[in-house]
Amino acid sequence: MATDMRVLGLLVITLLLLTAGQADDTEVQRWTCGYQGLCRKHCYAQEYMIGYHGCPRRYRCCALRF
């Protein structure tokens, strides 16, 4: 039974570490910039880069294409 708990604990820690890398993008989405865009490190395929208007350092303003 102790071995099962260790395996379960290792699995939970692994899942937490895998999802921790995705937290940066959701955290930055609270920063808005011009033209109703969002500040991100990289724009998605359906977005275009406006510039660096009002975004923190090393982030760019991304807006949806219409």
Side-chain angles (χ1 to χ4, degrees):
M1 186 167 192
T3 308
D4 292 338
M5 293 301 285
R6 287 183 185 170
V7 171
L8 181 63
L10 184 61
L11 181 64
V12 169
I13 289 173
T14 304
L15 288 174
L16 287 174
L17 288 174
L18 289 174
T19 58
Q22 299 172 358
D24 290 339
D25 193 38
T26 57
E27 197 172 293
V28 174
Q29 288 181 359
R30 293 188 183 112
W31 289 88
T32 57
C33 53
Y35 305 104
Q36 297 178 350
L38 298 173
C39 296
R40 296 194 177 133
K41 285 189 176 185
H42 304 285
C43 295
Y44 294 125
Q46 68 269 19
E47 298 175 333
Y48 64 96
M49 187 183 111
I50 297 173
Y52 301 96
H53 308 289
C55 293
R57 187 174 181 218
R58 297 184 180 162
Y59 290 91
R60 57 193 66 156
C61 185
C62 302
L64 286 174
R65 298 176 194 243
F66 292 105

